[in-house]
Amino acid sequence: MAKITFITHDGQPHVVEAANGTSVMNAAIDNLVPGIDADCGGECSCATCHVVVDDAWWDKVGGPSDREESMLDLNPEREPHSRLSCQIPVRDELDGLVVNVPEFQM
Amino acid sequence: MSEAIALTADQDSLARAREEAYGAPLEALDVARPELFEQDVMWPYFERLRAEAPVHYCAESVFGPYWSVTTYDLIKEVDTSHEIFSSEPTIVIDDPDEDFDLPMFIAMDPPKHDEQRKVVSPVVGPRNLAALEPVIRQRVQTILDSLPVGETFDWVDRVSIELTTQMLATLFDFPWEERRKLTRWSDVTTANEESGIVESEEQRRAELYECLEYFTGLWHDRAGKAPGNDLISLLAHGEATRDLVNRPMEFLGNLVLLIVGGNDTTRNSLSGGVLALNLFPDQFTRLKADPGVIPNMVSEIIRWQTPLAHMRRTAKQDAVLGGQQIRAGDKVVMWYVSGNRDESMFRNADDFVIDRENARKHIAFGFGLHRCMGNRVAEMQLRIAWEEILKRFSHIEVVGEPVRVRSGFVKGYLELPVRVTAA
């Protein structure tokens, strides 16, 4: 179980509770957090669940896999701490996680 | 809508197609025949393939032997397995001409695909688009305000082509008065000798060389100036592409990719939306009551229309897909047009439902590395068009039969006669 805070582009925090094993993307979708499209349904193949992980959490979350990297790389507006939220499994150590939702998904 | 006008295939042709689709031996089905799309009767063939053979081998066709993949999940599996299913040498069912091969990044695998795509993708990035929105809206307004209310006119020419051509000219920073050259080059690229657009393959190539020559001029002009934010300037100054002009066929290939990608597709979704709202008039009523549904309707239009009916891959190695043994070198066609009508994904999939809950899950943009680069431009154009249409017109009535493209690739319309009523 983890508490996750999504900060949307307007600065608004959206705090949700998510069960272990689900993805950060699903936590957003299930709780109607705006700004996450997730067109492909969580298979790392559309890049529309893009989030930017808060600096303090980057080491715990970790970087993308090769496959995720290749999808992220298609986005001209990616940032150093960009991740696809469908590829971040929720786990206890991510309790308190903060991620930023970009203004646009691409 | 007049009862005499058939907006889709008439009931008799469709019944005959259904009889043929279900009467023929499964192995004899050839869904790639262009006339099926021209007559809008391909639906029962795909329906049967989805139910009985979602990975289906057609041994003989004008395009040679090919596999058809027709269900949503299996299409997605192929699209996301680029290490098995290659985009080279081409992404259409027809093989490239050996003496006129146009390399383009849509038909390349990583790493070259990624390098070239990255150069041009910022121009259609959301941030750049947000800046373009007011310009696009103003141009849409001008186009719509010029329409002859109460008279019959061709929606394809006056609205769909004009709007997408203007958008493309904007993205290329193309000489404005000559922008219809872009439309012509787009049509010529996907033309074949049956299409009536060109008289011969020689003429087609000659016109494409004109396109190359024209853009080579633009390239040298942009290369000599400070980097700008248009597609040609990005290519001319981009690290991975700055010598592209010295590889003329590859330069031409990428040009026609951007031209067709930015033109044929949204053009046909703009026409398809009008047709869909005539076929499902209750949806037009709902739309007028709630214009807030437009963004979702845009996804539904793209799903329902599926302006590119397929993308083709070529197996790099033996693979099992949906229980079928695919061999290295086999042609594998992902029928997006069928995946978007897969009932296991979309309930009442043939219906046009503007507030369909999962419309965004459509597969018309593809999934994976080759997912449509211009998807947000397409959605923006369609959204703005419908927002402005609703402000002006209470009805767009289709008053003549739509003329469809004879192609299993570009799924669209040559003509759509309409009459608009002022709001």
Side-chain angles (χ1 to χ4, degrees), chain A residues 38-40 45 73 77 105, chain B residues 76 127 360-361 368 371:
Chain A
D39 292 345
C40 82
S45 52
D73 211 25
E77 292 162 16
Q105 295 290 343
Chain B
K76 208 162 157 183
R127 226 167 285 277
R360 280 196 68 102
K361 305 267 182 224
R371 185 171 165 81

Side-chain angles (χ1 to χ4, degrees), chain B residues 99-281:
Chain B
D99 60 338
F100 194 73
D101 185 24
L102 295 177
M104 53 184 90
F105 70 80
I106 195 176
M108 290 175 189
D109 292 328
K112 209 173 169 192
H113 159 268
D114 307 22
E115 290 161 8
Q116 294 198 357
R117 172 175 167 144
K118 259 198 304 199
V119 173
V120 285
S121 65
V123 78
V124 289
R127 226 167 285 277
N128 197 38
L129 289 186
L132 276 177
E133 177 157 347
V135 181
I136 300 304
R137 186 175 298 277
Q138 199 190 6
R139 289 179 177 163
V140 170
Q141 290 167 342
T142 306
I143 290 170
L144 295 176
D145 286 339
S146 77
L147 297 177
V149 174
E151 290 171 32
T152 299
F153 66 91
D154 180 15
W155 183 266
V156 172
D157 185 58
R158 294 287 299 262
V159 182
S160 307
I161 290 182
E162 191 51 33
L163 202 158
T164 46
T165 300
Q166 289 194 10
M167 181 76 200
L168 197 57
T170 305
L171 295 178
F172 274 123
D173 195 10
F174 194 85
W176 193 248
E177 293 310 317
E178 299 201 88
R179 64 185 182 274
R180 282 273 172 148
K181 282 184 191 292
L182 294 168
T183 321
R184 176 69 192 168
W185 291 327
S186 180
D187 291 342
V188 167
T189 301
T190 53
N192 53 39
E193 284 169 33
E194 283 182 47
S195 63
I197 289 165
V198 288
E199 279 170 15
S200 64
E201 178 61 18
E202 290 67 44
Q203 186 199 342
R204 194 180 86 93
R205 291 180 190 185
E207 290 200 41
L208 289 176
Y209 282 128
E210 277 171 36
C211 169
L212 173 63
E213 201 184 316
Y214 195 98
F215 272 98
T216 302
L218 289 184
W219 175 291
H220 290 304
D221 170 63
R222 306 285 153 84
K225 292 180 180 161
N229 215 14
D230 64 273
L231 285 165
I232 299 301
S233 183
L234 287 169
L235 287 170
H237 293 277
E239 203 171 310
T241 50
R242 63 165 60 119
D243 57 347
L244 191 59
V245 76
N246 302 324
R247 300 192 298 277
M249 293 307 265
E250 193 176 331
F251 182 36
L252 179 57
N254 281 307
L255 287 171
V256 299
L257 166 62
L258 296 168
I259 293 171
V260 174
N263 201 353
D264 251 341
T265 50
T266 308
R267 177 204 300 183
N268 289 316
S269 293
L270 268 165
S271 303
V274 170
L275 183 60
L277 287 167
N278 272 259
L279 285 165
F280 299 88

Side-chain angles (χ1 to χ4, degrees), chain A residues 12-35:
Chain A
Q12 191 71 37
H14 300 256
V15 184
V16 310
E17 297 262 352
N20 288 358
T22 188
S23 69
V24 171
M25 177 278 278
N26 273 319
I29 297 291
D30 292 348
N31 292 284
L32 304 175
V33 175

Side-chain angles (χ1 to χ4, degrees), chain A:
Chain A
M1 200 73 168
K3 199 165 79 176
I4 303 171
T5 303
F6 294 88
I7 301 175
T8 44
H9 182 71
D10 54 7
Q12 191 71 37
H14 300 256
V15 184
V16 310
E17 297 262 352
N20 288 358
T22 188
S23 69
V24 171
M25 177 278 278
N26 273 319
I29 297 291
D30 292 348
N31 292 284
L32 304 175
V33 175
I36 304 277
D37 294 336
D39 292 345
C40 82
E43 296 177 42
C44 194
S45 52
C46 71
T48 62
C49 65
H50 176 206
V51 295
V52 180
V53 176
D54 183 86
D55 291 352
W57 285 89
W58 180 248
D59 287 343
K60 268 198 180 140
V61 170
S65 67
D66 289 350
R67 182 188 161 96
E68 183 185 338
E69 172 61 34
S70 63
M71 287 307 297
L72 276 171
D73 211 25
L74 301 179
N75 188 339
E77 292 162 16
R78 75 172 292 183
E79 293 184 31
H81 290 176
S82 286
R83 287 290 314 264
L84 297 182
S85 55
C86 74
Q87 299 301 304
I88 309 174
V90 173
R91 47 202 190 265
D92 287 339
E93 60 165 342
L94 294 188
D95 188 27
L97 174 67
V98 178
V99 299
N100 299 283
V101 181
E103 184 175 8
F104 307 103
Q105 295 290 343
M106 182 171 180

